[in-house]
Amino acid sequence: MHLLKRMTLMGVAVVSLSGITYTAQTANASTYSTVSSTTMTKTAYHKKSTTGAVYNASHTKKVATLKGYPNTTWYATKKVVLKHNGKNAIYYQVKNGAGTKSGIIWHSYLTKGVAPFNVKYAKNAVAYDATDNKVVWSKSANTARPIASVSKLMTLYLVDKKVAGSGYSWSSKVKTNYSGLVAMGKDSACGGFRFTKSSYTVKQLYDAALIDSSNNAAIALGQWVAGGSTPTANKKFISMMNAQAKSWNLGKAKFVSSSGLEQSDLKAFGYSIGGADANMVSAKDVALIADHLITDYPSTLTTASVKSMTLSGQPLYNYNNMLSGRKYYQSSLKVDGLKTGYTPKAGYCFVGTGQKSGHNRIITVVLHDENEFTETQSIMNNAYSKNLL
């Protein structure tokens, strides 16, 4: 009887038949071997299309797909020639700007230059350097559009301004017994903090307006700033909002609501003042309002970073999901504010701010977005990775 043995060792087939040994080279079609590696001047590249991927050095595992990193700049530092199926191909050894992804990629998947950056869903957006006071990136940032509860940033600025003046404090009382505000607090669509008392302190309503985005709390505060407690004072306060915008040379800001609710919603509660239906403000002007607020009154960030609390027996919940412990938190970005907003007309709006270690503070604004937190992350990371601030 003949004894047949077959073994494969290191790509060599060894066959033993009747004591006679034969050897034959076998090729592994999936194997990539390095032919040469040459250091090159660090050069920026970005995706030519969504095709392609970055692999580990042995080309056995995907590190990142270009489709998954559409706005990434890849920095090449070596030219590597690999042999596969008997053919040589040029690869680049690359790393992204943040230094979190690195590997090799076929050179034809890339094109030279820093990646152009854009966001997909936000209709208007801006990244603002709050330390050097300059716009570092924008998308239709000078086009005015509805901004929903982001409007409260201007309201809160004027509240801070009054508290900082003489004769007033955070413990000053604000009347909250007007029937329209009481009804608004109970409304499922327009409500917020329910007014169960005839008055609250300025600090209590400030917390309700900033943390929980309470509409009736914002309106009550505005009326207090204007010196009253009825819709007449509300109308006066809105004039003050527009005057403040004018003093800052915000040419793309027009207010008709202290809360951000549209006139069509406010009418049922006696707070429609006529004219345009919604506050119309550009992303850039929103960023400037936010900058004035946190620069002139930095304690705002302490309140804005509160994730939840109980006030007068009612829960206040902060919908900023980029804060620590929330779904979109990213530790390196150190986001500590600032304000969310939504109405069907305005879409999802978000003003974010934070200061990454070693960089200036950033303020970002996205208006009429569908993925406001992920796109804010992208805007912030893009600005930091490109050392724009």
Side-chain angles (χ1 to χ4, degrees):
M1 179 181 290
H2 295 298
L3 177 64
L4 176 65
K5 293 181 180 179
R6 183 178 180 88
M7 298 172 286
T8 301
L9 299 173
M10 299 297 290
V12 178
V14 181
V15 180
S16 179
L17 182 62
S18 299
I20 302 174
T21 301
Y22 301 89
T23 62
Q25 289 293 128
T26 62
N28 185 344
S30 64
T31 299
Y32 286 76
S33 59
T34 302
V35 176
S36 65
S37 177
T38 308
T39 300
M40 59 186 286
T41 301
K42 186 177 180 180
T43 306
Y45 290 89
H46 62 277
K47 67 177 180 63
K48 184 176 291 185
S49 69
T50 55
T51 303
V54 177
Y55 283 81
N56 62 353
S58 58
H59 205 290
T60 57
K61 182 180 178 181
K62 284 184 181 180
V63 174
T65 63
L66 294 182
K67 184 177 181 180
Y69 287 79
N71 304 310
T72 298
T73 299
W74 300 95
Y75 293 93
T77 54
K78 284 186 179 180
K79 181 184 291 185
V80 181
V81 178
L82 298 184
K83 177 176 282 187
H84 177 62
N85 287 338
K87 296 180 180 180
N88 290 351
I90 297 173
Y91 285 73
Y92 291 144
Q93 182 174 303
V94 298
K95 182 181 290 187
N96 64 354
T100 57
K101 296 290 182 180
S102 62
I104 60 171
I105 185 170
W106 185 44
H107 76 287
S108 291
Y109 285 141
L110 300 175
T111 187
K112 188 176 289 187
V114 174
F117 176 75
N118 199 6
V119 291
K120 181 178 180 180
Y121 296 106
K123 291 188 176 180
N124 311 84
V126 71
Y128 183 80
D129 184 332
T131 304
D132 290 340
N133 303 115
K134 62 182 181 180
V135 172
V136 296
W137 175 86
S138 66
K139 175 184 178 181
S140 302
N142 290 312
T143 302
R145 64 173 305 105
I147 62 169
S149 283
V150 167
S151 307
K152 292 182 175 73
L153 296 179
M154 177 63 93
T155 296
L156 296 175
Y157 180 89
L158 293 173
V159 172
D160 275 303
K161 188 176 181 180
K162 182 164 182 172
V163 170
S166 59
Y168 303 99
S169 71
W170 291 111
S171 59
S172 295
K173 293 289 186 176
V174 180
K175 290 184 178 180
T176 55
N177 58 354
Y178 182 76
S179 59
L181 295 182
V182 174
M184 188 182 296
K186 297 176 181 178
D187 186 85
S188 60
C190 302
F193 185 70
R194 297 184 306 279
F195 290 163
T196 59
K197 299 190 295 184
S198 60
S199 67
Y200 293 85
T201 67
V202 173
K203 178 57 175 163
Q204 286 175 321
L205 295 183
Y206 193 98
D207 288 348
L210 181 53
I211 298 169
D212 200 55
S213 200
S214 169
N215 294 312
N216 51 332
I219 295 171
L221 285 170
Q223 292 177 161
W224 174 77
V225 171
S229 58
T230 67
T232 300
N234 172 67
K235 189 171 184 178
K236 179 180 177 181
F237 177 73
I238 291 167
S239 295
M240 296 173 69
M241 295 174 77
N242 287 309
Q244 187 66 64
K246 185 177 181 180
S247 74
W248 289 334
N249 297 313
L250 306 185
K252 299 293 183 179
K254 175 65 176 177
F255 293 95
V256 294
S257 164
S258 59
S259 65
L261 285 177
E262 281 107 26
Q263 303 270 23
S264 50
D265 290 317
L266 290 167
K267 187 175 181 179
F269 307 103
Y271 280 97
S272 174
I273 67 168
D277 187 43
N279 294 334
M280 298 293 289
V281 189
S282 69
K284 179 182 177 181
D285 283 354
V286 168
L288 293 172
I289 293 168
D291 183 43
H292 281 290
L293 178 60
I294 65 176
T295 299
D296 294 350
Y297 307 107
S299 62
T300 302
L301 292 175
T302 301
T303 304
S305 63
V306 174
K307 294 186 284 292
S308 64
M309 64 176 288
T310 299
L311 174 61
S312 191
Q314 297 181 54
L316 303 181
Y317 184 84
N318 192 332
Y319 289 90
N320 179 355
N321 284 326
M322 291 187 70
L323 294 174
S324 174
R326 293 290 176 76
K327 180 178 180 180
Y328 297 99
Y329 174 67
Q330 187 175 325
S331 59
S332 63
L333 296 178
K334 300 184 183 300
V335 170
D336 50 10
L338 188 57
K339 190 72 192 72
T340 60
Y342 173 80
T343 67
K345 179 174 285 189
Y348 289 99
C349 304
F350 179 58
V351 180
T353 186
Q355 186 166 8
K356 187 174 183 177
S357 299
H359 294 266
N360 293 346
R361 173 170 285 276
I362 190 173
I363 295 173
T364 57
V365 180
V366 291
L367 302 179
H368 208 292
D369 207 338
E370 294 180 24
N371 294 294
E372 68 274 30
F373 300 120
T374 55
E375 294 207 323
T376 294
Q377 276 185 334
S378 295
I379 293 169
M380 288 184 172
N381 282 317
N382 174 70
Y384 285 130
S385 68
K386 293 180 179 176
N387 291 314
L388 300 178
L389 51 115

